[in-house]
Amino acid sequence: MTEIEKKMRDLEKQIEKANYEYHTLDKPSISDRDYDMMLNELIELEETYPLFKSPTSPTVKVGGVVLDKFVKVKHEKPMMSLANAFNNQELIEFDKRVSKEVTEYSYNMELKIDGLAINLTYVNGVLARASTRGDGVVGEDVTENIKTIRSIPIELRKPLSLEVRGEVFMPYSSFHKANEERLKEGLELFKNARNAAAGTIRQLDSSIVRKRNLDMFCYTLVEPHKYGIHTQEGVLTFLNDLGLKTNPNYKVVNSIEEVISEISRYDVLRKELSYDTDGVVIKVNELDKYDQIGQTVKYPKWAIAYKFAPEEVVTTLNSITFQVGRTGVITPVAELSPVMISGSLVSRATLHNEDYIKALDIEINDKVIVRKAGEIIPEVVGPVLEERKNTIKFEMIKTCPSCGDLLHREAEEADWFCVNPGCPAQHIGKLIHFSSRGAMNIDTLGEKVVVQLFEENLLKDIRDIYVLKDQKERLMTLDRMGEKKVDNLLMAIENSKSMPLDKLLFGLGIKHVGAKVAKIILKRYPSLELLSNASVEDLKTIPDIGLATAESIHHFFHTEYARKLIQDLKEIGLQVEMEVTETTSNLLQDKTFVLTGKLETLGREEAQTIIEKLGGKVSGSVSKKTDYVLAGSDAGSKLEKAISLGIEVIDEKRFKEMTSIE
Ligand code: IVH
């Protein structure tokens, strides 16, 4: 597998996990902005390397996994997602693409409501069905729940049959009330209003939904031409006239320059609203031009979502506490008066190190500016000096908060370290890092379980993870550890043995060896044995590897600890060598093609021979397992099926480019 393919598989995995956490569990672990950035990166890679695109890529589906507890519903027309823009340049590029296809158009700007998309079906003016987006093709029937939302009419003002789409969301007032109740009941709080809304819609008991006071803004009419409507503005008016709720803050403008200047107005306006918005949706206003502008499998080309920059807020710094990392590094943490930032409640933020606090002149009791710049952990940007009173000067601690040993700081480093090899916090940190998503991905061995097993003396070091299976009986006697949970844990540990070496190397937690550096190093030294024999001089010659990293790697592999650990991991059966990379003759390895329609220059048989020669397969019917549909003229139902399943459709020209013929 090439580096690029690996990167793409890695991104898919990360996005899928994030999707699952966000859409299915309603418990995100990364910020929306981080998610969007990863998705954009994957979309870009897929556009540059279409051959490496996986048929099940999360960029094809636009949402999460469909739960079993609600009846599944296939959407009449797929529910698409929107491409994102993060800056003005990306808006200008979007406009350029539009102007290549059509002339004389305007834009309708709408707030991007941060909730979840719902499809409503009205038959003869009566609400017949409501469904979630699901994966864009199949959603869940949530009619009973939707009926409880007050702003959604059960009967329209006219007896029309139509399909409408919009965003269900939880206003701040309902969100705060729901969390107050959860606090009283000792339940985990909702992280933000969007998750609260998504969690609520998936309640099986609709009376709970009613109590949560959700709301909905409608913005799409599925077949507008049937009602003689030709603009997006017209859609909003039409829906509003039927008794459906639409957001009043829309605006029609005539150029992308006007869009850009209006966006700053929206960024001010949104702070005064009683619900979350995460951007502005810009749609070509003239609906009749949509077909000409076109769409990709993922999103229409006639619209784009501009995402607002991260929000900054002011709050009080009540105290500074200290965390001990896996390398012994001590990180000061700001304990803040809880404050909402970008839709979630923040009460802690990193202060990086002693120098950072001193350089920014931060004191305890200061009012500080906090921001969540696409990070999971928010950061303190600086103090509001004009408001300083009764502050206490910051003093760095001298001893480790975990083991009590004296801390050390090297002259050229900004960080203080606990160098006690027996420090419990460091061991716990190392174990958490080893099993984390970016490393060995043992998802059932999260922070809580690691701490529990550490305290029970079952886990002190990485190698102990792989002998836990001999302690099954003991594990089952522990708190919150039934047989099923233990089995899952042991299975995930067993599975991790086949993780590629770059994950293991990253998981070892060697100073300066992040996920990327691990991959770079293994290109030169594709086994732990080769790497452990490399000199500092040799390591330094690897591109992007500096002296500090080279020394750190060399030092690690020359400790008794590492020698023994590596020997043990090899015996346990972990991957201590890299897989050999594929050659170009396997260009289509494991890719399944379906041929349909009449091919102009290539005969079908010829195309089939080419595919098979390059390691691919040709199948007679389109399914989820199909990677590409090669379509010629007069392609029929196979093509339709491919589109509905979101499978990449290519023409002869593209096929020739892919396989490098001509
Ligand atoms: S239009 C074909 N308009 O944003 C695109 N979407 O990131 C149809 N959203 O799936 C969507 N406010 O859930 C549209 N005014 C708005 C929106 C909006 C929020 C959501 C919607 C969509 C997602 C895309």
Side-chain angles (χ1 to χ4, degrees), residues 557-619:
F557 283 103
H558 284 79
T559 58
E560 197 39 45
Y561 165 81
R563 281 188 196 284
K564 177 87 182 65
L565 178 65
I566 286 155
Q567 186 56 34
D568 287 351
L569 295 180
K570 200 170 161 183
E571 279 169 24
I572 290 163
L574 272 74
Q575 306 299 309
V576 291
E577 284 177 16
M578 275 313 255
E579 274 173 46
V580 187
T581 4
E582 282 169 22
T583 62
T584 45
S585 60
N586 298 337
L587 199 64
L588 301 180
Q589 191 70 46
D590 297 325
K591 302 282 178 217
T592 303
F593 283 72
V594 170
L595 312 180
T596 180
K598 213 173 110 217
L599 300 177
E600 297 303 331
T601 56
L602 285 171
R604 274 208 184 208
E605 264 172 23
E606 201 182 341
Q608 178 155 358
T609 314
I610 293 167
I611 292 165
E612 287 168 355
K613 258 194 189 159
L614 294 172
K617 281 175 289 191
V618 175
S619 157

Side-chain angles (χ1 to χ4, degrees), residues 80-82 84 110-113 116-117 133 167 219-220 281 283 300 302 305:
M80 298 190 109
S81 190
L82 291 169
N84 291 321
E110 295 169 21
L111 277 168
K112 187 168 185 302
I113 315 294
L116 64 153
R133 183 172 70 188
E167 204 80 354
Y219 45 70
T220 299
V281 184
K283 304 174 185 174
W302 40 260

Side-chain angles (χ1 to χ4, degrees), residues 157-171:
R157 294 192 190 146
K158 286 183 197 157
L160 297 176
S161 297
L162 42 81
E163 250 178 66
V164 182
R165 290 169 183 174
E167 204 80 354
V168 165
F169 63 97
M170 190 179 275

Side-chain angles (χ1 to χ4, degrees), residues 465-478:
I465 295 175
Y466 294 95
V467 291
L468 277 177
K469 61 176 188 301
D470 304 332
Q471 304 274 351
K472 192 172 169 189
E473 298 297 314
R474 171 102 197 271
L475 285 168
M476 274 159 48
T477 64
L478 302 181

Side-chain angles (χ1 to χ4, degrees), residues 420-433:
N420 172 12
C423 173
Q426 287 181 52
H427 282 280
I428 291 175
K430 282 199 173 84
L431 289 162
I432 293 171
H433 171 72

